[in-house]
Structure formats: structure tokens, C-alpha cells
Amino acid sequence: MATKLDKQFTQDVLNTVDLIPYGCVTTYGQIARMICRPRNARLVGKALGKFGGCGKHPCHRVVTANGRLVPGWIDQRPMLEAEGVPFKDATHVDIQKCFWRGI
């Protein structure tokens, strides 16, 4: 189990983020489950925040379990809206309509 950010963990996270389809979102917890680290949802968020290189990876497609956007990331909502992701309110996507469970 990962307890710190290591190179392999970060690469696994980024490889999984790269699979999220256009117009869909997934959660930190779902990514953690997909890389067989189900207790490391917060570490997934840390990896994306620190090493995401989000111009290169679609990190904007990752939200919290209840669909909340990243606080303070003003570009996330417009990027998701451009993909047609539906919203419930100003800070939450309608996760039930666009959730990607993975492969």
C-alpha cells in the first residue's frame, strides 16, 4: 500500500487519468480503486496536484465523490462544460450522469 508519493504510484495515477473519456468524470477514490490502492484517494489528489502536469493529462476530469470541483481551480468548470459535462450547481458536476467507472 502506498503511504507516500513514489514514482510508480504517480505514474499509475496519471496513466489511469489518461483513460477518462471526453465528457466523463471520475473520482479520486475510483482512481485509487482502479490502481489497486483503495485507501489512497487523498494520495491520488496529492499526486495530481503535485505531478499532474494537467496540460498534458485530463486532470480536470477528476472530482470528489460527491462531484465537487477542485476549490480555487477556476479553469476546471469551463473545461468540463466545453466537454458537455452536466452540472448540478456552480461547484458540483452531476456525477450520476457522467461518471466513468473505468475498464
Side-chain angles (χ1 to χ4, degrees):
M1 180 186 300
T3 56
K4 62 183 177 88
L5 284 176
D6 59 48
K7 188 175 181 180
Q8 187 60 54
F9 180 85
T10 300
Q11 193 57 56
D12 291 346
V13 168
L14 295 175
N15 289 343
T16 303
V17 167
D18 287 342
L19 298 174
I20 305 168
Y22 184 92
C24 295
V25 297
T26 199
T27 64
Y28 302 104
Q30 183 64 18
I31 291 172
R33 286 186 289 280
M34 289 175 66
I35 63 171
C36 299
R37 306 288 180 103
R39 295 182 179 197
N40 293 127
R42 287 185 184 203
L43 202 57
V44 168
K46 192 174 204 178
L48 291 177
K50 191 166 186 177
F51 300 108
C54 289
K56 197 170 152 186
H57 305 280
C59 301
H60 65 283
R61 296 179 187 153
V62 184
V63 297
T64 65
N66 67 358
R68 185 173 52 98
L69 302 177
V70 176
W73 185 7
I74 60 172
D75 294 330
Q76 186 179 21
R77 183 181 173 110
M79 290 174 14
L80 291 172
E81 286 178 325
E83 295 185 16
V85 172
F87 280 78
K88 290 191 324 185
D89 60 40
T91 58
H92 293 80
V93 299
D94 190 343
I95 201 161
Q96 292 182 7
K97 293 182 179 175
C98 57
F99 184 65
W100 180 68
R101 285 174 175 65
I103 52 174

